[in-house]
Amino acid sequence: MGKPMQVARHWRHFEEKYALIGGKCENGHLMFPYREICPVCGSRNVEKHKFSGKGKVVSWTIVRNPPSGFEYYKPYPLALVQLEEGPVVLAQLTDVEPEEIDFGMEVEMVTRKVREFDEDGIILYAYKFRPVLKPQKE
Amino acid sequence: MEKPVIIGVGMVPVGEHWRVSLRDMAVEALLNAMEDAGIDKVDSLYVGNMASGSFIEQENLGALIADWAGLGNIPAVKVEAACGSGGAAVQEGAKAVMSGLEDVVAVVGVEKMTDAWPSDATRFLGYAADAEWELFHGASFVALNALIMRLYMKTYGYTEEDLAHFAVNAHRNGAKNPYAMFKKEIKLETVLNSPYVADPIKLFDAAPMCDGAAAVIITSKEKAKELGVPKEGMVELAGFWRAIDTINLANREDFLTLKAAKVAAEKAYKMAGVTAKDIDFFEVHDAFTVMAALSLEALGVAEKGKGAMLAKEGQIAIDGDYPIQTMGGLKARGHPVGATGVYQTVEAVLQLRGEAPEGIQVPDAEVGLTQNIGGTGSNITVNILRRV
């Protein structure tokens, strides 16, 4: 399989993938990922907006037959997470057993390795979500 | 505007064709369709294909197939709309005829998936999703559909068994179709006992990786008469449209509504002058069982959240009120992605000509609908066909 030039391609999205920065249009519509034109009202006046990283699980699956490049990580949970500000993002869940995952489970964003390419490739990091850490009882 | 007609159909059996190449399959299906129409040349060729560049490192399919089919120096081009490529190619061919620029048009849908390693094939199918926001995170196409299925079950209180009825129905019909990949009936338990691919989607909730090609010949009624095609050899493309939705599932307003199918169906019904009640059979895009349910809802056959009830109650069988997947659907006939929409069209034509195999012919079928989904509902085609 051919290797696209991955470095520039992923570097373009560092803000979004490391810091969960999306967009907010002049009419207050929030979006993730960032885009130049608001998908709700069509406004072209969209600013960067940083999301808190807190959210809830809307739906989830366990990927058992992954696309090539992800075989090493299988099986892994993948979820739709609704951020507390409204937009939904797709991401892997981490630090959780499959049977613990449930509808509405509260999660928070963390930065994790997503995959590695071959020896001449790069290592990709991005947001994943884990169950919200609670302080341990004394 | 005068509606175009389909005067010839051809296909090859769907399967794992280790000994045959993409060009061999496409040419065979195409020549079958031309022979069926009684013609030896066409004015142009439209090729429905999703990912030949990835699967077999071959693009420029227009030139490849027209050249190898001996069609001469005609215009030929590939039409791509992910798994919805075939249905879209049929529409582009129809538009060419309706414009008056081209008289007799060939459309072939083709995909060769089994030359690729399975995990690579899984990746290539993922190219229909949003590469940077879905595939990046390791989302396979099955996984994205699994997110929808889990939410559908939770929202409307369905079980995995409820949805498994769609697979059983597809196999019951596919068993009688000589062109189907799986000519075998299955039981509910077969579906339920199959392993998870991406929970809650199991192996038997999903269409297979496979190879195939199907073709149709489209022309105007006037030209068809000139060519000496009898009335019963013509099937009118009475209404058609397609629409897109967000490519990224996460960005969708409602994960459980196929908005693109709704928009496309409304326009197609209007163009054909029919409603869902007038349709005698539906070839819907059941790449996953939950997609069959959502499709029936989007097409106006079932209310929102009630699509799976039709399967549970047996209304989707050949003798039910709303027969679907009359020749096996994607699940049993097989889903060679970019070819699927053309297979659906061929099957609808056979139904309307009364030439469907014994046991799966819908009695006195007058109007049929095909619906072909690209992406997780991001690019959907609806075609309505009618006996002339």
Side-chain angles (χ1 to χ4, degrees):
Chain A
M1 205 175 105
K3 291 189 190 72
M5 174 49 189
Q6 297 284 352
V7 176
R9 186 178 176 199
H10 295 295
W11 165 76
R12 291 197 288 269
H13 289 135
F14 278 0
E15 276 191 336
E16 287 144 307
K17 286 177 178 163
Y18 290 178
L20 213 62
I21 289 172
K24 184 181 187 179
C25 81
E26 60 187 331
N27 296 313
H29 299 126
L30 293 162
M31 67 208 73
F32 188 89
Y34 173 83
R35 46 169 102 188
E36 299 275 328
I37 302 168
C38 175
V40 179
C41 65
S43 162
R44 298 193 176 200
N45 188 359
V46 183
E47 288 181 347
K48 296 277 172 76
H49 179 84
K50 188 174 184 334
F51 289 95
S52 69
K54 296 268 196 294
K56 284 180 178 173
V57 171
V58 174
S59 188
W60 75 99
T61 182
I62 310 296
V63 183
R64 297 175 191 277
N65 293 59
S68 50
F70 288 88
E71 294 96 335
Y72 176 79
Y73 308 97
K74 72 174 182 183
Y76 50 89
L78 190 77
L80 288 169
V81 172
Q82 181 158 35
L83 302 174
E84 63 180 2
E85 297 92 341
V88 177
V89 298
L90 175 92
Q92 287 186 28
L93 299 179
T94 186
D95 305 347
V96 65
E97 294 300 324
E99 55 277 12
E100 294 171 39
I101 308 169
D102 202 0
F103 294 100
M105 185 174 78
E106 291 184 15
V107 291
E108 59 191 4
M109 179 227 168
V110 286
T111 302
R112 290 284 189 273
K113 183 167 83 179
V114 174
R115 66 176 285 207
E116 284 179 30
F117 283 80
D118 305 332
E119 60 218 30
D120 55 345
I122 54 173
I123 302 173
L124 296 181
Y125 293 87
Y127 50 81
K128 291 188 183 180
F129 287 83
R130 72 175 174 205
V132 173
L133 290 186
K134 303 247 165 68
Q136 281 188 329
K137 282 175 193 157
E138 296 272 319
Chain B
M1 195 178 269
E2 189 75 19
K3 309 273 176 66
V5 287
I6 296 171
I7 58 167
V9 295
M11 53 184 168
V12 300
V14 179
E16 294 184 351
H17 296 309
W18 306 102
R19 301 173 75 98
V20 182
S21 70
L22 179 142
R23 73 181 80 191
D24 298 335
M25 290 189 301
V27 168
E28 186 182 335
L30 186 52
L31 296 184
N32 285 346
M34 288 172 68
E35 193 187 335
D36 185 43
I39 56 171
D40 56 11
K41 61 183 173 70
V42 294
D43 294 325
S44 73
L45 172 71
Y46 292 83
V47 181
N49 172 268
M50 172 177 164
S52 60
S54 302
F55 280 117
I56 60 160
E57 300 177 322
Q58 177 71 62
E59 296 290 11
N60 201 5
L61 293 189
L64 177 82
I65 296 164
D67 174 10
W68 281 65
L71 299 181
N73 305 106
I74 59 163
V77 71
K78 165 169 159 173
V79 178
E80 188 266 312
C83 308
S85 301
V90 170
Q91 293 190 348
E92 293 312 298
K95 286 182 195 172
V97 167
M98 289 169 87
S99 78
L101 267 179
E102 294 164 5
D103 276 341
V104 184
V105 164
V107 178
V108 61
V110 62
E111 203 81 56
K112 183 86 181 78
M113 302 169 76
T114 64
D115 282 3
W117 199 249
S119 62
D120 284 337
T122 299
R123 162 164 295 272
F124 303 151
L125 293 175
Y127 294 171
D130 188 325
E132 287 173 335
W133 305 104
E134 295 182 308
L135 186 58
F136 174 93
H137 295 282
S140 66
F141 226 74
V142 188
L144 294 169
N145 282 273
L147 295 168
I148 297 173
M149 179 167 163
R150 191 186 295 278
L151 196 58
Y152 185 78
M153 286 161 50
K154 162 78 173 174
T155 305
Y156 302 113
Y158 289 116
T159 62
E160 291 173 11
E161 184 177 325
D162 294 333
L163 286 161
H165 287 282
F166 283 108
V168 174
N169 174 69
H171 275 261
R172 191 189 305 124
N173 296 340
K176 301 187 179 77
N177 174 11
Y179 289 88
M181 180 165 179
F182 301 125
K183 292 179 273 289
K184 197 173 174 217
E185 295 203 21
I186 57 167
K187 295 190 164 78
L188 265 182
E189 296 76 54
T190 320
V191 186
L192 297 174
N193 294 336
S194 63
Y196 284 113
V197 182
D199 326 25
I201 290 183
K202 288 182 252 47
L203 190 64
F204 272 74
D205 285 304
M209 300 268 188
C210 53
D211 311 319
V216 297
I217 307 297
I218 306 176
T219 188
S220 62
K221 283 192 192 97
E222 200 185 333
K223 184 72 185 174
K225 274 180 215 144
E226 214 177 284
L227 289 167
V229 178
K231 193 166 144 281
E232 54 278 11
M234 300 182 208
V235 167
E236 184 185 63
L237 192 53
F240 60 87
W241 202 257
R242 64 176 188 268
I244 66 111
D245 202 341
T246 64
I247 185 161
N248 187 336
L249 176 67
N251 292 158
R252 216 159 286 169
E253 210 175 303
D254 175 357
F255 304 117
L256 302 181
T257 296
L258 293 176
K259 186 77 184 295
K262 272 186 100 141
V263 171
E266 274 163 25
K267 292 242 194 187
Y269 284 141
K270 196 172 169 204
M271 182 174 167
V274 298
T275 68
K277 288 194 169 53
D278 301 314
I279 308 289
D280 297 310
F281 64 93
F282 298 81
E283 298 300 334
V284 301
H285 191 98
D286 61 335
F288 304 97
T289 47
V290 67
M291 277 296 142
L294 291 181
S295 297
L296 290 172
E297 295 169 20
L299 295 171
V301 180
E303 281 174 44
K304 193 165 159 58
K306 300 274 175 66
M309 287 306 292
L310 296 183
K312 222 176 146 177
E313 293 166 355
Q315 296 184 60
I316 58 170
I318 296 290
D319 59 358
D321 288 342
Y322 309 101
I324 70 166
Q325 319 309 67
T326 63
M327 307 240 185
L330 284 60
K331 176 69 195 80
R333 173 238 295 127
H335 179 31
V337 285
T340 290
V342 185
Y343 272 100
Q344 292 175 322
T345 310
V346 169
E347 290 163 355
V349 167
L350 293 177
Q351 282 286 359
L352 295 168
R353 285 190 195 163
E355 293 171 5
E358 206 186 327
I360 48 175
Q361 172 70 51
V362 175
D364 307 317
E366 290 275 346
V367 192
L369 182 151
T370 67
Q371 175 241 23
N372 191 197
I373 303 180
T376 47
S378 60
N379 204 338
I380 305 186
T381 291
V382 173
N383 291 333
I384 297 172
L385 297 97
R386 182 160 51 200
R387 236 156 59 180
V388 173

